[in-house]
Amino acid sequence: MTRCTTARVDLAALDRNFRAIGWYLQDEASLNRSAGRGAVRPPGIIAVVKANAYGHGARPVAKTLEAAGATMLAVADIEEGVDLRRSGIHAPILVFGALSVSDLDGVFDHDLTPTISSPAAGAALQAVADKRGTKLRYHLKIDTGMNRLGFRHDNLRRTLPALLSSPNLSLDAVHTHFGSADEPGHQLFDDQRTRFESACHVLDELSAGPRLRHAANSAALLRDSRVWYDLVRPGLLLYGLVPPPLGSTLPLAPVMSLTSRVVAVKGVRAGETVGYGGRFTADRAVTLAVIPAGYADGLDRRLEGRGAVLIRGRRAAIVGAVSMDMLTVDVTDIDAVGPGDEVVFLGSQGSEPQQTIDAREMAAWIGTIPYEILCRLGARVERKYA
Ligand SMILES: *Cc1c(COP(=O)(O)O)cnc(C)c1O
């Protein structure tokens, strides 16, 4: 038995998106080679699968990206990394997040690559590695202006030597993260790039040895090939969406679609209200379709009066409160809607532009970003993989 509200995760589209990004990196690098500017070598790809692969399901997504040739996979914390190892992933796994002392063993037991972003984290890992008699490879995070995790870029000569001389830790790569790559013209982006490059020079002076560099999320990858370095770290692009407000000619397709079915159709008289709070009042005789999906499935309450769904190839406005398990849409102007009709929240129902809704559009309706739309898809929504 399955609920009629289901997410379809198109792993073939995921694979094509990964390859499209790879070709883009190759083409741009060869254009740069002839023009003598920017990155001249295509970087490797760290495929970001944190947060249950942006709601798509970490295990099948990671398996697909590993097979497609990702250099590394990246997760938010040790638990996510351990889950991927348990599912049989062999590719290197980078953990982005801060490490809490309690779960450091997971790094060693499951061969994860930690990010070290503070002297204390370095000391803790050195102690465990020493006790276990092993050498641990890690990535070093530099904070170049995000002011979240990472060693501050401006006092590395003071904060790094202890880490770099840790006998049981071996530096594989250095990275930073951009705070405004998706804001065209924002000065912070260029400031962060120059700070990161200065930080890399400091590492050279501290003779930290050869190591890889990486910095670019999806937006930075599209914005400036100078920040590709050795590896790029796309997340959203893999799932087929360009971070707004950026545009791109990359041939990407959204990996997730979300559909349901009409369970009931009913008439409402002029002057009557609909749903909790009675906030929608019919100004004429209105036909409503009831759909068994609500905020427990991740559909935001702010969609009321702002969002729409596709039914019979037409857009039907969401009217009345979005409830926990259902919502109502206005189908007065759509012919012959009946129980069982397919409802599309994310996806297509025809080839006209009006017949497609993606997470970017849904996000714009409610003033959020497509990342949040994808990640908040409810746990009870079954993901069907194709
Ligand atoms: C989430 C994340 C990414 C991927 O970001 P997108 O905008 O989805 O490409 C890259 N790097 C780090 C450190 C992240 O946390």
Side-chain angles (χ1 to χ4, degrees):
M1 252 184 40
T2 55
R3 288 203 175 82
C4 54
T5 303
T6 52
R8 182 171 176 278
V9 177
D10 185 347
L11 296 173
L14 177 70
D15 180 74
R16 286 194 298 274
N17 292 342
F18 179 89
R19 287 169 207 279
I21 295 166
W23 287 321
Y24 171 80
L25 296 169
Q26 274 183 23
D27 289 351
E28 292 288 306
S30 70
L31 287 174
N32 287 346
R33 266 198 301 282
S34 23
R37 55 161 163 72
V40 297
R41 268 187 319 123
I45 298 179
I46 300 177
V48 180
V49 297
K50 65 191 179 193
N52 197 28
Y54 291 40
H56 294 67
R59 290 177 166 206
V61 164
K63 194 163 273 321
T64 303
L65 294 169
E66 176 178 56
T71 307
M72 261 190 137
L73 301 169
V75 295
D77 55 31
I78 293 172
E79 288 74 8
E80 289 184 352
V82 170
D83 180 66
L84 289 186
R85 283 281 180 257
R86 293 208 165 112
S87 79
I89 295 291
H90 298 292
I93 297 176
L94 175 63
V95 179
F96 282 146
L99 309 162
S100 68
V101 179
S102 59
D103 44 31
L104 290 185
D105 281 330
V107 168
F108 295 87
D109 292 341
H110 297 276
D111 188 22
L112 306 178
T113 306
T115 294
I116 296 184
S117 44
S118 70
L125 281 169
Q126 162 58 33
V128 181
D130 180 36
K131 205 165 71 202
R132 289 175 162 248
T134 63
K135 190 138 184 163
L136 178 70
R137 297 142 75 96
Y138 71 98
H139 289 201
L140 168 66
K141 178 152 191 185
I142 308 292
D143 183 352
T144 53
M146 183 88 157
N147 282 320
R148 224 173 41 174
L149 291 178
F151 286 73
R152 277 193 71 97
H153 67 94
D154 54 3
N155 57 6
L156 296 171
R157 285 192 178 78
R158 187 162 58 75
T159 54
L160 276 185
L163 175 65
L164 295 177
S165 61
S166 304
N168 296 77
L169 301 179
S170 140
L171 175 63
D172 261 6
V174 54
H175 64 104
T176 193
H177 191 46
F178 290 109
S180 66
D182 55 357
E183 294 181 49
H186 199 300
Q187 180 60 35
L188 180 60
F189 181 77
D190 286 319
D191 291 346
Q192 288 196 267
R193 181 174 62 79
T194 40
R195 289 170 189 164
F196 182 57
E197 287 174 9
S198 310
C200 291
H201 287 308
V202 172
L203 278 167
D204 290 338
E205 286 166 30
L206 295 172
S207 37
R211 75 267 148 195
L212 303 173
R213 295 182 292 169
H214 55 92
N217 58 5
S218 293
L221 179 167
L222 294 175
R223 175 172 172 155
D224 189 343
S225 72
R226 286 175 301 176
V227 300
W228 289 355
Y229 305 111
D230 301 294
L231 297 154
V232 293
R233 306 192 303 260
L236 196 67
L237 285 181
L238 292 170
Y239 305 103
L241 293 156
V242 174
L246 304 184
S248 164
T249 53
L250 270 174
L252 303 175
V255 171
M256 186 194 292
S257 51
L258 179 65
T259 60
S260 187
R261 296 206 176 271
V262 172
V263 284
V265 175
K266 75 153 41 146
V268 171
R269 297 197 173 90
E272 290 183 335
T273 64
V274 177
Y276 286 118
R279 282 190 296 270
F280 173 77
T281 305
D283 58 0
R284 56 178 176 158
V286 160
T287 308
L288 296 179
V290 182
I291 304 166
Y295 58 80
D297 302 289
L299 294 161
D300 197 287
R301 290 181 73 247
R302 290 169 294 176
L303 288 166
E304 170 183 0
R306 299 195 178 96
V309 303
L310 298 169
I311 299 177
R312 296 187 158 259
R314 305 270 309 278
R315 289 194 171 212
I318 298 174
V319 296
V322 173
S323 320
M324 188 182 294
D325 310 308
M326 67 184 98
L327 54 77
T328 41
V329 300
D330 184 345
V331 293
T332 313
D333 299 325
I334 308 178
D335 278 344
V337 173
D341 283 353
E342 183 196 58
V343 177
V344 171
F345 288 102
L346 294 174
S348 296
Q349 223 176 33
S351 53
E352 298 296 317
Q354 280 300 302
Q355 293 174 315
T356 294
I357 297 171
D358 68 13
R360 250 175 91 127
E361 183 176 13
M362 186 182 277
W365 288 335
I366 62 171
T368 185
I369 52 177
Y371 300 82
E372 189 180 5
I373 299 289
L374 297 175
C375 291
R376 291 180 64 193
L377 183 71
R380 78 176 176 189
V381 178
E382 190 190 344
R383 277 77 166 162
K384 287 192 168 152
Y385 296 92

